[in-house]
Amino acid sequence: MEVFFPRTLAELWPLKAANPESAVMAGGTDLLVRLRKTGERPPAIIALERLAELRRMSIEGGGLRIGAAVTIGELAASEIVRDALPALWQAAAALGSPPVRHGATVGGNMCTASPAGDTLPPLYVYGAAVAVAGAAGCRRLPIGDFILGPGRTSLAPGEIVTDIIVPLPTGGAFSAYYKVGKRRAMAIAVASLAVCIVRTADGAAGKVRLAWGSVGPTVISLPAVEAFLAGKRLAPDVLRQAGAMAAAAVLPIDDVRASAGYRRSLAGNLLLKLAALGDDEQEDGR
Amino acid sequence: MAEHRVLGKSVLRQDAVDKVTGAALFVDDIQFGPTLLHAKILRSPHPHARIISIDTAEAAKVPGVKAIVTGRDCRHYIGLYLADRTVYASDKVRFVGEPVAGVAADSIEAANAAVKLIKVAYEPLPGVFDPVSGARGREGLVHETPAAGDLWWQGLSCIKTKSPGALLHENLGEYQCAPFIHPVPGTNISNHFKLRKGDIDRGFAAADVIVENVYTLPHIQHSQIEPHSAVAHVDRAGKVTLWASSQSPNAVRKLIATAFELPMNKIRVITPYVGGGFGGKAGVTCEALVVPLAMRLPGYHVKLTLTREEVFQATFVRQGLVARLKTGADKTGRLVAMEAELFWDGGAYTEYGVNITRSGGYCSSGPYEIPNIKTDSYCVYTNHPVGGPMRGFGMPEIHWGIEQQMDIIAEKLGLDPLAFRRMNALREGSLGAFGGPMEGATLADTIDAVAAKCGWGAPVPPASAPHKVRGRGMACMYKAPSMPPNAQSSAILKLNEDGTVHVLTTAMEIGQGSLTALAQIAAEELGVAVDKVVVTLPDTDYTPYEWQTVASRISYSAGNAVLAAARDAKAQLLAVAAQVLAIPAAELVIEDGQVFPPANPARRLAVSDIAMGYLLPEGAIGGPVIGRGSFIPAGITGLDKDTGQGDKPAAFWTYGTQVADIEVDTRTGEITVLKVTAAYEVGKVINPAMCKGQVQGGIVQGLGSALYEHLVLAEGKPLNSDFVDYKIPAATDTPEMDIILLETSPQADGPFGVKGIAEPTMVPTAPAIANAVYNAVGVRITDLPLSAEKVLAALKKKQARES
Ligand SMILES: Cc1cc2nc3c(=O)[nH]c(=O)nc-3n(C[C@H](O)[C@H](O)[C@H](O)COP(=O)(O)OP(=O)(O)OC[C@H]3O[C@@H](n4cnc5c(N)ncnc54)[C@H](O)[C@@H]3O)c2cc1C
């Protein structure tokens, strides 16, 4: 098996063209696990880790542009992410363990397209877009259009993700990520919830965005629940009603990690965390 | 008592630098050069099936393949307590993952390719997937006449067998077994341990409160960081050398000698560092698989390192248990009667597990004095992974139920659970469940120590958030080393020219610190500095016999052998010194490597001066000093087959108590263990830092078994045989730990008073956490683990009941 380390995108495209069956590898924390498990042996691997173009983070036109090969550890260490995109920051800090975060990338998490991918629910609630490039050119699409199903994306053969563009929420927005795993670290989400709420002057919820992980084939958005909460004060009974709506609407499965029933309960109960927005933010910020 | 110079000090571990720097060699690290071959094992995909035929012709054609073996090549039955298994499956497979054939090839890829090409025709058979059905199925009726209404086990979530009646071992009656194991031929019961103490009916008649519950535990795995590995080499003269990640070099040698009809002096077992054992590397595991391959390939080194998936599926797991416990107390809080039916899920082979059933049986009262007891402990064959020893050897399993029963009864009687336990604790001279007197019974001391340390009775501090609830729970334990009554140890202590010392034993360093503990015992007795003593790792051609490094018995048993060897060497040194100094030996001491009479310390000799003998003007005396020590525990007797009664079934008992402080998240069911306070009475602490390390490790392992660990089996097939979905605690799960080590009752026949500590450390953690959950949120969970999902479901149920 050959392994290539292109340094620029200009170097990458011809390699891709010459090795159509090759696998792209960023951190390898999903790919290598998969190769060991399935015994698949792609004829070549093209590594993204030396592509400086994919490793940058910058503010551009009201959004944060995150290179696809930026590591989860770098996200978790970024002050911009911490201050402007707390849900993404909390998700990064909750993904795997320090050694995993050191290699794992945001692009890899996106392309694996697991419903349990920790960075995905935050990227949904922030309305992130995915920049995709191929030898022929670039396109940009909303994350909800990029991810098609478990393990399925709209990447065409020969394309890669170059960037993820995350609009920065307006000042005063509250956002957070809540994860329940089977233990405190190095655990895949059994259920998770990202929230982004813009509060109105009187303290009620204005615009509400919610996205659940691990309770359906992809990250789940429930516009009906968002609409129900919009304009209301997030009192416990309101949240309980919203929780009941969510628990009924999500599409979880039974697996060795948890039953569908437990996942439904969590999908509803995680909303209760919003009862004491400010306090809970600290207490559950893991 | 004389002041100890080395004992009781936290001296640096002998293996610390090797392990911290990564220099320590484990089996898989050893380099063998071009003679190295790789083995891979074809494993059964069926939980229970007859093998009709095996065709290896295509596999043998794969380039690089050197040898293939199957059950045809090794037909002898082996086993530690019950010889019920062959090295490779012969006529039947009985669990998913059972070895069916082995391949040796010059690359792992070639071995894997060959394994895929071996064709096996199976005739699947119905299976047994829980121990109660296994024992009660058509052929396995436990009761001659099943009592009407005796169906307590129906509806338990662990009762899975769809078609009872499968018989796993048709030849059970012909298997050889230890005299204290009682198989029931014609059934799936490979050991029925019976205990009858007092009069159970009168006992319950005198009870004012009777509590009956069923407690269940799933299979869990030791999860050693180092996967099992073995390398076999056979020379032209037929001598077998094995490098093995094993806790039991001598047991490996013995079982392999039986399996392949070899004399023991033609088998050499070398064990470098072992990266964790916990029982999972006791007896014989994957070592036997490579031997028949190596026998066909003289001169080669055949290596098998298991994948993590194989470790989960095909090495020992902790047996599952279904325990029905009925406990009675009078209104003053005295325990008066207890009835226990224990169904152990022994798995496909119970060569080792049968003895867990026995230990669990004769300890079934827990650490309490109960006058009337009726226990039936059944080891049951199932089509599950092979159950075997794991830290605690039956004690974590039985205490899971016993210690919840204690809390439940105490609550019913309106008594404080701590005071209730203290009142019923086994004391010096109490009659144990087996009818004999208990010696050194110090449970109450550990209860008092923990109570004082954690402030038992003080109000529980508020939780960290409104939807979280705090709770506190306790559990006690006792444990004896589970071993044959004559489990032996021996040691050789050699002095070198410069007065340094080598101690040779076959005790195994599995991370517990045995090298250092044994060095401290030798140094203390001999009177030399501890850094002058090196304890070697086992090599059965050169190191003397040790039964096994299990049962928390090494500091006690190998420690006694080392102590005897040091005494022997010391006597030789003093005899020479006496002649040289012209002072009677009885008036001499050895301290810091110097021999002198305390009355006149200036007259002295260095140990190095006399280690090889001494040249006097009239000629040489003495000679190289070699100390010899053997130990066999004295006075351990059997138990009556029908009543389980006897005088002294075990060498000693270790007692301990833990209190767990926890917090439950009522929205997710997640449990956070905040703090564990633990007290153990260990007779004598050899090395405080290592001893505390054992307690910490046991608490964390106990916490894993309490909250997370569960090998999920569907019709015998493991669904989570990797660390993605089998969770052991991580650093962030580790609670604060407050540990107290007591030395109130030195063990009369223990070296310097030592008792064992390794296993007892994990025994009470799970029930203490379960009791704390009840204390916090009022739900009682009787089925391990206490997963967040179960806790949330129980909370919902409780809410529904209350509203
Ligand atoms: C021990 C362990 C723990 C883990 N814990 C978590 C966890 O808690 N939460 C979680 O969400 N995940 C977890 N993961 C999964 C994994 O770490 C993440 O999904 C990670 O973000 C993957 O990134 P990567 O760079 O390693 O991807 P890779 O393995 O390099 O790639 C994954 C897939 O994406 C493709 N790919 C990668 N980058 C690009 C790109 N720029 N363009 C096109 N295709 C691309 C690859 O071809 C491959 O198919 C864990 C993994 C391990 C091994």
Side-chain angles (χ1 to χ4, degrees):
Chain A
M1 184 192 298
E2 275 188 289
V3 183
F4 299 101
F5 291 90
R7 285 171 190 277
T8 61
L9 283 172
E11 266 175 51
L12 176 109
W13 304 126
L15 283 172
K16 225 15 205 152
N19 299 279
E21 302 294 309
S22 63
V24 166
M25 181 170 102
T29 60
D30 276 324
L31 181 75
L32 297 180
V33 173
R34 194 177 79 217
L35 297 190
R36 176 183 180 274
K37 197 165 195 161
T38 61
E40 281 168 53
R41 286 292 173 271
I45 285 183
I46 300 179
L48 304 182
E49 63 184 59
R50 297 193 191 165
L51 277 166
E53 292 151 273
L54 263 55
R55 305 212 52 175
R56 286 196 281 254
M57 258 197 275
S58 57
I59 301 272
E60 270 172 38
L64 181 66
R65 174 181 278 271
I66 305 171
V70 167
T71 68
I72 304 296
E74 286 162 352
L75 283 188
S78 155
E79 283 176 21
I80 301 174
V81 176
R82 185 193 64 197
D83 296 342
L85 302 167
L88 183 60
W89 182 74
Q90 289 162 8
L95 189 152
S97 61
V100 172
R101 296 197 280 273
H102 187 68
T105 66
V106 61
N109 206 229
M110 175 80 62
C111 294
T112 291
S114 157
D118 277 314
T119 66
L120 304 183
L123 292 172
Y124 274 72
V125 296
Y126 291 132
V130 182
V132 171
C138 308
R139 60 197 175 103
R140 187 191 276 212
L141 62 172
I143 183 171
D145 293 343
F146 178 78
I147 292 177
L148 302 177
R152 286 198 306 121
T153 67
S154 59
L155 275 181
E159 281 186 326
I160 66 160
V161 173
T162 55
D163 298 279
I164 290 143
I165 299 100
V166 195
L168 300 180
T170 50
F174 168 83
S175 62
Y177 181 65
Y178 308 117
K179 172 179 178 178
V180 177
K182 295 223 72 166
R183 83 182 155 198
R184 305 188 157 266
M186 278 278 270
I188 297 165
V190 164
S192 66
L193 170 66
V195 299
C196 183
I197 296 171
V198 181
R199 274 170 287 189
T200 56
D202 62 351
K207 192 169 152 239
V208 177
R209 290 298 316 268
L210 306 167
W212 283 263
S214 289
V215 290
T218 60
V219 169
I220 299 266
S221 305
L222 298 173
V225 180
E226 292 172 350
F228 172 78
L229 289 175
K232 294 202 175 70
R233 293 190 147 270
L234 301 182
D237 59 320
V238 170
L239 290 167
R240 259 192 291 278
Q241 285 180 54
M245 288 170 74
V250 293
L251 302 163
I253 54 161
D254 287 308
D255 66 15
V256 69
R257 263 163 236 152
S259 70
Y262 180 54
R263 291 191 157 104
R264 275 189 199 283
S265 303
L266 289 179
N269 287 359
L270 285 177
L271 273 179
L272 302 178
K273 301 241 178 208
L274 296 174
L277 277 185
D279 301 348
D280 251 0
E281 183 186 3
Q282 278 165 10
E283 164 222 332
D284 289 309
R286 66 172 168 91
Chain B
M1 209 206 305
E3 171 83 5
H4 292 310
R5 304 176 78 84
V6 182
L7 224 66
K9 309 268 189 298
S10 294
V11 305
L12 185 69
R13 289 177 65 116
Q14 191 178 303
D15 52 349
V17 174
D18 266 6
K19 286 185 177 165
V20 169
T21 58
L25 280 187
F26 298 84
V27 171
D28 195 63
D29 297 324
I30 302 173
Q31 299 296 309
F32 293 96
T35 56
L36 183 69
L37 298 177
H38 299 272
K40 280 283 167 189
I41 306 300
L42 174 69
R43 297 181 179 280
S44 168
H46 298 288
H48 197 193
R50 202 170 299 288
I51 298 175
I52 308 296
S53 65
I54 304 179
D55 178 357
T56 59
E58 286 303 308
K61 290 182 197 152
V62 173
V65 168
K66 294 276 198 277
I68 301 178
V69 296
T70 68
R72 281 190 301 269
D73 303 301
C74 20
R75 293 207 171 271
H76 291 290
Y77 284 84
I78 57 169
L80 200 72
Y81 295 104
L82 170 74
D84 67 355
R85 62 186 258 225
T86 53
V87 173
Y88 287 91
S90 44
D91 51 342
K92 288 212 295 189
V93 288
R94 297 181 177 88
F95 70 100
V96 173
E98 179 163 3
V100 173
V103 175
D106 55 19
S107 70
I108 292 178
E109 290 74 16
N112 272 330
V115 160
K116 290 207 184 89
L117 291 173
I118 298 173
K119 295 189 201 76
V120 186
Y122 294 101
E123 175 199 334
L125 298 168
V128 171
F129 301 111
D130 74 83
V132 185
S133 318
R136 290 174 181 244
R138 231 175 318 127
E139 288 93 344
L141 274 184
V142 172
H143 298 294
E144 295 72 11
T145 39
D150 184 20
L151 297 171
W152 53 265
W153 48 278
Q154 288 192 344
L156 291 176
S157 65
C158 64
I159 302 297
K160 300 238 170 73
T161 303
K162 289 194 192 114
S163 53
L167 187 62
L168 269 73
H169 288 260
E170 293 83 352
N171 303 333
L172 177 56
E174 290 155 33
Y175 296 156
Q176 288 190 349
C177 71
F180 47 85
I181 300 301
H182 311 298
V184 187
T187 75
N188 291 316
I189 299 168
S190 56
N191 187 25
H192 179 185
F193 178 85
K194 265 195 229 180
L195 189 142
R196 305 286 183 267
K197 179 190 180 192
D199 180 333
I200 192 68
D201 295 330
R202 281 175 57 185
F204 279 118
D208 297 302
V209 173
I210 296 176
V211 167
E212 182 172 347
N213 285 300
V214 180
Y215 299 90
T216 55
L217 298 86
H219 297 84
I220 63 173
Q221 228 280 326
H222 312 69
S223 306
Q224 310 94 338
I225 298 301
E226 179 206 22
H228 300 58
S229 184
V231 180
H233 174 267
V234 179
D235 70 15
R236 301 277 163 191
K239 173 156 180 173
V240 178
T241 303
L242 261 173
W243 290 260
S245 58
S246 166
Q247 297 175 235
S248 314
N250 284 116
V252 167
R253 187 176 68 170
K254 182 174 176 190
L255 292 167
I256 283 177
T258 308
F260 302 103
E261 289 185 285
L262 291 166
M264 289 193 195
N265 63 0
K266 286 204 142 187
I267 307 170
R268 175 181 176 194
V269 181
I270 300 169
T271 44
Y273 284 128
V274 165
F278 308 112
K281 293 172 183 168
V284 71
T285 57
C286 68
E287 301 88 356
L289 296 170
V290 284
V291 171
L293 289 166
M295 288 171 96
R296 293 169 168 229
L297 298 163
Y300 285 103
H301 291 88
V302 182
K303 171 161 153 179
L304 175 65
T305 297
L306 300 187
T307 62
R308 182 58 63 183
E309 289 83 351
E310 288 180 302
V311 173
F312 272 103
Q313 299 187 4
T315 73
F316 288 132
V317 294
R318 187 168 93 182
Q319 300 179 326
L321 175 66
V322 178
R324 182 183 65 86
L325 302 181
K326 183 175 164 191
T327 318
D330 67 18
K331 53 178 172 294
T332 70
R334 288 258 164 230
L335 290 168
V336 291
M338 148 143 190
E339 190 177 287
E341 253 189 302
L342 309 175
F343 292 88
W344 300 86
D345 189 333
Y349 301 95
T350 62
E351 49 121 340
Y352 208 139
V354 285
N355 200 33
I356 300 169
T357 302
R358 178 176 188 267
S359 297
Y362 74 72
C363 297
S364 53
S365 64
Y368 307 106
E369 179 152 26
I370 308 180
N372 307 292
I373 305 177
K374 175 177 184 237
T375 297
D376 288 282
S377 182
Y378 304 100
C379 190
V380 185
Y381 284 126
T382 61
N383 295 106
H384 280 158
V386 176
M390 178 168 171
R391 197 174 200 168
F393 208 74
M395 295 306 108
E397 297 94 309
I398 62 166
H399 285 78
W400 168 240
I402 293 167
E403 287 301 305
Q404 296 202 63
Q405 290 285 94
M406 293 303 132
D407 262 38
I408 297 170
I409 298 172
E411 188 185 29
K412 287 208 183 244
L413 289 168
L415 296 172
D416 172 57
L418 187 137
F420 171 67
R421 284 179 172 83
R422 203 178 185 292
M423 175 173 24
N424 287 290
L426 286 168
R427 282 158 210 285
E428 198 64 31
S430 299
L431 296 185
F434 53 90
M438 302 300 292
E439 297 161 6
T442 50
L443 180 63
D445 297 343
T446 68
I447 293 177
D448 294 346
V450 161
K453 189 84 178 180
C454 75
W456 182 265
V460 175
S464 62
H467 62 281
K468 296 187 180 177
V469 191
R470 278 215 187 183
R472 167 174 271 192
M474 75 176 297
C476 298
M477 64 75 57
Y478 73 157
K479 183 180 189 303
S482 301
M483 56 189 196
N486 57 342
Q488 309 89 341
S489 291
S490 55
I492 295 169
L493 187 151
K494 302 187 295 172
L495 265 83
N496 301 316
E497 296 93 308
D498 60 356
T500 60
V501 180
H502 275 115
V503 178
L504 277 56
T505 77
T506 309
M508 192 57 222
E509 173 64 65
I510 51 177
Q512 85 283 44
S514 64
L515 295 177
T516 313
L518 296 176
Q520 285 181 266
I521 289 172
E524 183 68 45
E525 183 61 22
L526 203 56
V528 300
V530 71
D531 59 6
K532 297 267 189 275
V533 181
V534 167
V535 182
T536 64
L537 287 164
D539 176 338
T540 58
D541 267 11
Y542 304 102
T543 54
Y545 181 83
E546 177 63 55
W547 176 62
Q548 293 198 89
T549 297
V550 297
S552 313
R553 63 181 276 284
I554 285 301
S555 293
Y556 163 79
S557 187
N560 268 322
V562 169
L563 181 63
R567 284 196 177 129
D568 185 21
K570 188 175 186 178
Q572 296 171 41
L573 288 168
L574 291 178
V576 172
Q579 241 181 302
V580 177
L581 297 171
I583 299 172
E587 290 170 25
L588 296 172
V589 298
I590 310 182
E591 275 177 19
D592 282 333
Q594 302 285 315
V595 191
F596 57 90
N600 185 5
R603 296 197 50 201
R604 57 176 52 214
L605 281 167
V607 166
S608 55
D609 296 334
I610 52 177
M612 296 293 123
Y614 197 85
L615 184 58
L616 289 168
E618 55 273 33
I621 58 167
V625 172
I626 300 177
R628 179 189 69 93
S630 283
F631 179 72
I632 192 160
I636 301 180
T637 55
L639 298 171
D640 183 80
K641 178 177 189 292
D642 296 314
T643 65
Q645 299 294 285
D647 296 325
K648 186 176 193 272
F652 59 80
W653 303 79
T654 304
Y655 294 83
T657 299
Q658 292 184 10
V659 166
D661 289 305
I662 63 136
E663 195 164 83
V664 179
D665 183 328
T666 58
R667 290 178 187 157
T668 62
E670 289 169 296
I671 297 168
T672 305
V673 180
L674 303 165
K675 180 173 171 185
V676 175
T677 311
Y680 285 88
E681 196 278 307
V682 297
K684 173 74 198 167
V685 178
I686 300 177
N687 183 315
M690 292 197 321
C691 200
K692 282 199 173 165
Q694 282 291 304
V695 183
Q696 291 167 345
I699 289 170
V700 173
Q701 200 162 20
L703 184 151
S705 72
L707 302 188
Y708 306 135
E709 297 185 45
H710 178 187
L711 184 60
V712 183
L713 297 163
E715 302 258 302
K717 200 172 166 39
L719 301 185
N720 56 340
S721 45
D722 57 40
F723 289 139
V724 177
D725 284 314
Y726 184 98
K727 292 297 187 209
I728 59 173
T732 42
D733 297 294
T734 308
E736 180 188 344
M737 291 180 264
D738 221 342
I739 294 163
I740 308 148
L741 301 171
L742 301 173
E743 300 179 322
T744 42
S745 177
Q747 178 63 19
D749 69 347
F752 301 99
V754 161
K755 298 177 183 175
I757 178 66
E759 297 166 284
T761 56
M762 108 173 241
V763 175
T765 313
I769 293 173
N771 287 336
V773 169
Y774 181 81
N775 177 251
V777 292
V779 302
R780 178 139 314 270
I781 293 173
T782 54
D783 174 36
L784 272 179
L786 301 162
S787 65
E789 172 161 4
K790 269 184 220 165
V791 174
L792 194 66
L795 283 171
K796 268 195 168 168
K797 233 190 199 159
K798 177 168 176 266
Q799 248 167 17
R801 256 200 326 269
E802 284 168 0
S803 63

